[in-house]
Amino acid sequence: MFSSSKKGQSGRRRPLGAFTLVELMVATGVIVIVGIASVQAIAMMNSKAAAMRIFNNARAVVQRNIDTAMGVAFSSAQHPAILAVTPSTGTVYDDDGNGDNLVNVVFLRNGTSTLVKGTLLRTVVAEPNSQNQNLLRITFQLTYTYRKRNYTYSMTTLRAPD
């Protein structure tokens, strides 16, 4: 005799072990909640990664200009334009030569259009010292906006004549 359940001592049938509709709905709800949280976390990580890539590009622009200022010939006879003394508030520096006083921070992959532009500020001031040497404090500061937030990256170095 085949039966879908076993009879106990009292003669009543015991149900077989199976999932109920409520258990399935709760499990589905948990899976959906975890899925939504995962998608949100991935979107947030992608957004932060994009902001960090742009920050690294800004750092590269500032570092390139600091390297240029450190690498040019500098003496009493040669005083390059990048080392020209500025007001203590600095001046806008157009390092790409477009004449728009903006620096391209991020390009599209094909290189035809710019996603993020910023303003590069160059500050060169004479640094007082006990030897009365022509010591310059050079600061480059790049300010840009990404997703309606303002960011700034700056570097400072000292330069003495060669």
Side-chain angles (χ1 to χ4, degrees):
M1 168 176 206
F2 296 102
S3 172
S4 64
S5 64
K6 297 181 180 179
K7 289 188 178 184
Q9 292 177 347
S10 64
R12 294 193 317 188
R13 292 183 172 197
R14 283 188 331 189
L16 290 175
F19 293 111
T20 64
L21 181 60
V22 172
E23 290 171 329
L24 289 175
M25 290 179 66
V26 167
T28 303
V30 168
I31 291 171
V32 166
I33 289 171
V34 168
I36 290 171
S38 298
V39 168
Q40 288 176 341
I42 289 170
M44 185 181 299
M45 286 188 307
N46 189 35
S47 173
K48 289 184 183 277
M52 207 52 161
R53 281 189 297 272
I54 293 171
F55 183 78
N56 284 333
N57 286 355
R59 182 189 55 78
V61 168
V62 171
Q63 182 70 52
R64 178 184 69 224
N65 284 286
I66 287 286
D67 290 345
T68 301
M70 293 300 291
V72 296
F74 175 44
S75 66
S76 58
Q78 284 185 305
H79 201 87
I82 196 168
L83 297 177
V85 175
T86 66
S88 60
T89 56
T91 59
V92 175
Y93 187 67
D94 188 13
D95 78 333
D96 59 6
N98 289 340
D100 59 357
N101 288 336
L102 294 174
V103 176
N104 298 324
V105 180
V106 176
F107 287 99
L108 286 175
R109 289 181 190 243
N110 61 11
T112 58
S113 62
T114 306
L115 294 174
V116 178
K117 289 186 175 228
T119 303
L120 185 63
L121 191 67
R122 179 181 64 93
T123 306
V124 180
V125 294
E127 186 70 22
N129 58 76
S130 59
Q131 288 85 27
N132 291 326
Q133 191 177 20
N134 188 9
L135 186 63
L136 300 177
R137 178 177 297 276
I138 306 159
T139 303
F140 283 95
Q141 177 180 333
L142 180 60
T143 305
Y144 62 95
T145 302
Y146 179 65
R147 291 190 177 168
K148 299 179 184 175
R149 293 189 70 187
N150 295 325
Y151 296 90
T152 300
Y153 189 86
S154 71
M155 284 184 175
T156 300
T157 189
L158 292 174
R159 176 69 197 265
D162 298 331

